[in-house]
Amino acid sequence: MNSVVKNILAIITGWIVGSVVNMGLVNAGHSIFPLEGVNLNDMDELAAIMPTLDFKYFVFPFLAHALGTLVGAFLAALIAANRKMVFAFVIGGLFLLGGIAVNILITGPIWFTIADIALAYIPMAYIGGKLGSR
């Protein structure tokens, strides 16, 4: 297979599968710790309730961001024809941009924003890239 095609597939696959992992964990979190009386599809309602939530409501979003990035970066590195770490970091960057956007749109506690931005994306992309490069 052509290396350009393989590298494009690495990005697409990493992004899609990482996003599926992310959403699966977010949905699992909502099932385990439901937000009673909140429409999860209404960004304004979510933004209003976020600052009042306990720690337990932020465990699954953090895991979703971290593990989605990890799986996506791993697959991108595994599939990429060359420069495997670059492709893992591309996935980490895409997820980081999404994480920054979500943290702006749905403002949570500052501790969560710092932990999420600092730990869930680039470090997980590095780990996923190392694992996928073996």
Side-chain angles (χ1 to χ4, degrees):
M1 183 182 295
N2 183 342
S3 64
V4 172
V5 172
K6 203 169 181 187
N7 290 340
I8 290 169
L9 284 174
I11 296 296
I12 293 169
T13 303
W15 196 5
I16 290 172
V17 175
S19 296
V20 168
V21 169
N22 184 322
M23 287 310 300
L25 285 167
V26 167
N27 289 334
H30 290 311
S31 296
I32 294 169
F33 302 117
L35 293 170
E36 301 298 332
V38 176
N39 179 2
L40 299 176
N41 297 318
D42 186 344
M43 296 294 264
D44 293 330
E45 278 188 49
L46 282 172
I49 197 167
M50 280 296 173
T52 67
L53 296 177
D54 293 334
F55 174 82
K56 69 181 181 183
Y57 291 101
F58 295 97
V59 171
F60 274 92
F62 178 80
L63 286 175
H65 299 167
L67 295 177
T69 303
L70 178 72
V71 169
F74 170 76
L75 287 174
L78 192 65
I79 296 168
N82 50 30
R83 299 187 315 255
K84 293 176 176 288
M85 286 301 290
V86 170
F87 288 96
F89 280 120
V90 167
I91 295 297
L94 289 171
F95 278 87
L96 175 62
L97 290 174
I100 290 169
V102 167
N103 276 292
I104 290 170
L105 292 171
I106 308 173
T107 307
I110 192 72
W111 65 264
F112 175 76
T113 300
I114 292 169
D116 192 49
I117 299 301
L119 302 173
Y121 303 104
I122 301 306
M124 293 298 118
Y126 176 78
I127 293 168
K130 284 296 186 181
L131 292 172
S133 296
R134 291 184 175 180

